[in-house]
Amino acid sequence: QRAYELDPKNKHFTELYAELLFYQKKNKQAEALLNALVQNDPGNEEYIYRLAMFYAKNKEYDKAIQSLNQLESKTGFNEDII
C-alpha cells in the first residue's frame, strides 16, 4: 500500500495493490484500480484479463463476459484464456 501511495502512477504497484485490496475484500477499491489500469493502458491484454477474472471471482458474470469479449476483440479467439 505504501509503495502505491508513494507512486500511484507505477503500474506494477497499482496492480499489486489492487490484488491486495481484493484479498482484503475491498472490492470497490480493487475494481477502481483495475479499471484505471485498463483505461490507462487499453492495449495491455493482461490488465483486461485480470479485470475479467476479478469480475468472475466476484460473481459479476456479465462484466466478466464483457471484459473477455473486449480481450477477444484484441487477441482473436483463444480457448486458453479461460
Side-chain angles (χ1 to χ4, degrees):
Q1 178 179 350
R2 181 85 172 120
Y4 170 77
E5 290 170 353
L6 290 171
D7 189 5
K9 292 184 180 184
N10 183 304
K11 294 175 186 177
H12 180 69
F13 294 159
T14 303
E15 188 176 0
L16 291 175
Y17 186 44
E19 188 174 336
L20 175 68
L21 290 168
F22 171 76
Y23 287 117
Q24 293 176 338
K25 300 192 185 313
K26 297 180 180 178
N27 292 335
K28 291 286 184 196
Q29 292 170 287
E31 180 182 11
L33 290 178
L34 289 170
N35 272 311
L37 285 169
V38 171
Q39 288 176 356
N40 292 331
D41 192 359
N44 190 314
E45 297 161 5
E46 181 66 27
Y47 295 157
I48 299 168
Y49 178 78
R50 286 184 181 269
L51 182 61
M53 294 303 101
F54 168 82
Y55 286 135
K57 288 177 183 175
N58 284 297
K59 298 182 173 138
E60 295 183 62
Y61 300 118
D62 289 339
K63 289 182 179 180
I65 290 169
Q66 183 181 14
S67 294
L68 289 171
N69 285 338
Q70 179 184 1
L71 182 59
E72 184 178 21
S73 73
K74 293 184 179 306
T75 64
F77 178 75
N78 183 350
E79 59 189 36
D80 290 334
I81 288 178
I82 296 182

